[in-house]
Amino acid sequence: MPKMKTYKGIAKRFKVTANGKLKRRQAGKKHLLSHKTAKRKRQLRSPITQTTRIPKKYVVLIGSA
């Protein structure tokens, strides 16, 4: 049986926590930062976890399931 290939694009952007949730960075921190407030940029720094149905599919694609 051939091995399942990891989807590298997803593997680079997401990490799987010990409980199987998906951890990712928040969007909006790459460019056009001059007009965003310091509070908004600070809050975008922290990663967030997702627990809905789509991340469960991503966990399988990463190969952590």
Side-chain angles (χ1 to χ4, degrees), residues 22 38 46 53 63:
L22 211 63
S46 60
R53 187 182 174 102

Side-chain angles (χ1 to χ4, degrees), residues 26-45:
Q26 294 194 60
K29 192 75 196 312
K30 291 288 184 185
H31 62 113
L32 302 175
L33 299 173
S34 56
H35 74 277
K36 293 175 186 167
T37 63
K39 179 183 177 181
R40 185 167 158 197
K41 288 185 277 192
R42 190 168 55 247
Q43 288 172 343
L44 286 172
R45 245 183 254 156

Side-chain angles (χ1 to χ4, degrees), residues 6-14:
T6 302
Y7 281 68
K8 287 300 192 180
I10 293 173
K12 290 171 189 174
R13 290 171 174 84
F14 300 96

